[in-house]
Structures are given as C-alpha cells and as structure tokens.
Amino acid sequence: MTTPVSARPHPGTAMTDEQRADFERDGFIVVPGVLSEDEVAHYAAAVDRVYEEHAAAGKLAADRSLHKLNAVDSCPDLAPLLDHPKAFGLVWSMLGWNVHVYHSHLDVHPPLTERKPFRFEWHQDGGRQNREIESDPRPRLSVKIAYWLSDVSQTGRGNFQVVPGSHLTNWIDGPPRRDMEWPNPEGAIEVTANAGDAVFFDRRIWHARSNNYSDVTRKGVFFGYTYRWVHTRETMSEDLAGLTPVQRQLVGLQDGDGDHAWGHYPKDVPLYGLLKEHDLLDPKYPPLIP
C-alpha cells in the first residue's frame, strides 16, 4: 500500500465553472474518486485505530458510534487531507487564501441493532452564527469537505441528508420539540457516494445524518474551512512534525496574531504564496472591494 505523504507541492486545481454553478444552485456537490483505493485503506485504518482506542477506553456512545472532534490532533495520519490536491481547490476557489480549518471531526457509525428514538436533527452549521447574524440569506462564511471512507452508494447507510438549494433559506419547518415525530423537510434527499468520493458543501445548507440500519459501518472525515478572522473550534495539543507551511496555516500553527489573520500581509500567508507561484490567484473569488 502507498502511504500518502504530507508534501503538497501544488494547491490543486480551481473549481470549474460547472462545479461553481452546481454549488451555487444546490449548496453542495459530490466529487467522485478524490481518494484512491490505497488512500481509502490508509485513512480508514487510521480512523479504525482511533475507534479501537476509544472502544477499549469505554469512550464510545451508547450505540457504539464515535464522533471525534479535532480530526488531525486526534489522528495525525489524517493531516494530508487538510489540503488534498483533488479537493482543496474547491475551498480556495470559494473562500480565497485567507482561510483555516475551524472545525473538523472523524465519524464512525456502526450498524444500529435497534430503532433509535426519534430526534429532529436537521440544522445549518455555524451555531450561534445562525441566531446572531441578521441578514437573509445569512452569509456563507464557511464550507466543508466530507471524505467518505466507506461505501454510502446506497441510501440507509447513515447517509448525509440535504435539502438541495436550502443554503439560501434561513428557516425550515420543524417540530416544537426535537423529540416530536416530524417528517423530513420537503425536498430532502440522501446523498449517495462511493468510498473515496468527497462531498463539498456550504455550511448554510440544511442537513442531517440518516440512521444507519444497514450492514455497513459508516466512516468519514470532515473538515470545515472559514476565514482566519473567524475564531476556530480546533485545538492542537502539539506542533506536529512534517506539516507543510500551508497545512500549518490551516491548523492555526502558522501565525496566531489577530491582525495578521485579517489578511493584511498576503505575502506572509503560505497559501497566498503557493497560489501566486502557480498563477492561481483569482481576484473575482472572493471578489475585491471596488
């Protein structure tokens, strides 16, 4: 098996016009074949090790699932996914170069052996952003990549559920209490994908995870990217060896100065330099202030 390496001499390719149009319309796109079979096996094995460590320590949820925050700090082997060249271009095409990872997690959801009590889980990412920002629609602010390490090509496997186009909607109909039986929002779908595919989505899209009643264990790794002037949920317990300058930027090790995070000094920002080196800076995305 070929072990992925951290060195990323190229930032990847820019989002195509077709991808951008689909993303702006639907709020998400599926990118097939981002990870090779070897990469899927490598990262799945890394996630399995974390899962077994938590199982041995009695730290799994009651349904034997694991939702572990701080993906790279929890599992350093996942670091190359921060800027994988077949997916990272979607991030800087949409948000530009002044970005970091503000939220990440690895997920393992084994098949459920009994029906779970109902809970309405539909939400937008961003937490308090969705209560404290008053515009309609609210600003994008962040995007997310989900790397699938298991086969979710059929529904019912804990699939990522979305309402296409709902990223431009601040509110959807829901129950007065989360435990009250309620139908899925109108237009909701389960997104299907093969192991190795990625899903790129706008934080504002209304989404939820379906319950996994199949015979397949659902495994995925999620990275949320936002502007460096938005505070991160991530923590890094140590300075990992082998990270590239861009990866250090993404996990917050490159520079902790608040003024610098505003992007006042582009030439000092690793991703800016890499995009400039490859002639990939695009003043239209994000747009310059006239």
Side-chain angles (χ1 to χ4, degrees), residues 158-177:
N159 300 63
F160 179 60
Q161 298 181 106
V162 300
V163 180
S166 63
H167 58 303
L168 302 180
T169 302
N170 281 1
W171 179 88
I172 59 170
D173 189 31
R177 300 189 323 272

Side-chain angles (χ1 to χ4, degrees), residues 246-265:
V246 168
Q247 290 168 351
R248 289 175 61 81
Q249 172 187 329
L250 295 177
V251 298
L253 293 173
Q254 187 260 336
D255 193 307
D257 179 79
D259 190 54
H260 191 73
W262 280 24
H264 287 166
Y265 316 105

Side-chain angles (χ1 to χ4, degrees), residues 30-37 39-40 84 86-87 147-148 193-199:
V30 179
V31 188
V34 169
L35 303 179
S36 67
E37 289 185 11
E39 287 178 302
V40 170
H84 194 286
K86 290 187 177 180
Y147 294 99
W148 291 111
N194 295 310
D197 293 351
V199 177

